[in-house]
Amino acid sequence: TGRASSSAVRLWLFAVALGASFWFVDFVVSTGDRLERERIISLARTAAATLESPRIADLNGDRSDIGDPDFDDVRHELRRARDVNPDFRFVYLMRPRGDELVFLADAEAPESPDYSAPGDVYDGPSDELWRVYATGMSEIQPPYQDRWGYWVTAIAPVRNADGKVLAILGMDVRADAWLATQARYRA
């Protein structure tokens, strides 16, 4: 009977250790996911907060903005946000026009094949974008594939002094890098 109870205790300890290790791995993975989400959302919120809202409010969201000093200044601010955050590949502003989202400004150079001109209609996944514009709450789009690559997008509202949402800022990070960071936590 002593041998049987000793085996039962060992089996019980093994089960407890196994359960604890599953809990610990889940805890580390969920903590890593939360930290990475908070990191890129914070970067997008900070970039959105630094943009000068009067300039953005004055943008028409069409080709007539090209050459306007406010448009040039907004593009410069977007390029600066991208340049100081090397994780992000694309940085841009959008606003609704009717039932579509259109680009206001893009950090890409106009000569780039990746450039979105003011007024270009956004044709990617947009549920989160519309929700951020409507609620004013920042979000992260889950990984998605488009013609430019595989991305995760941090989305933050750009507000005026009264708190009204004028536009949404999108900052795209390569999904491969995002998923690799999460994989490190799982490992």
Side-chain angles (χ1 to χ4, degrees), residues 31-130:
T31 299
D33 180 61
R34 181 179 49 80
L35 291 173
E36 187 61 13
R37 286 175 174 279
E38 287 175 7
R39 183 184 75 79
I40 68 170
I41 279 287
S42 292
L43 290 171
R45 282 183 186 140
T46 301
T50 63
L51 296 174
E52 293 187 32
S53 61
R55 287 184 175 146
I56 294 166
D58 289 342
L59 296 178
N60 298 315
D62 59 32
R63 308 267 180 194
S64 69
D65 288 332
I66 297 172
D68 182 284
D70 285 336
F71 175 73
D72 293 339
D73 289 342
V74 168
R75 288 194 63 245
H76 177 73
E77 291 177 44
L78 294 176
R79 281 192 307 275
R80 193 178 64 215
R82 182 195 59 204
D83 292 347
V84 299
N85 294 296
D87 290 353
F88 290 98
R89 169 61 178 93
F90 296 111
V91 178
Y92 47 87
L93 288 175
M94 288 189 275
R95 169 188 301 155
R97 182 177 62 203
D99 61 350
E100 299 174 316
L101 287 166
V102 297
F103 286 93
L104 290 178
D106 188 347
E108 288 296 303
E111 305 79 41
S112 168
D114 300 328
Y115 176 69
S116 295
D120 283 356
V121 175
Y122 176 72
D123 63 356
S126 59
D127 290 343
E128 294 84 4
L129 300 170
W130 282 105

Side-chain angles (χ1 to χ4, degrees), residues 131-149:
R131 199 166 35 246
V132 169
Y133 192 83
T135 66
M137 302 295 294
S138 301
E139 286 194 37
I140 295 177
Q141 275 185 328
Y144 65 93
Q145 182 83 36
D146 66 12
R147 66 181 180 214
W148 294 280

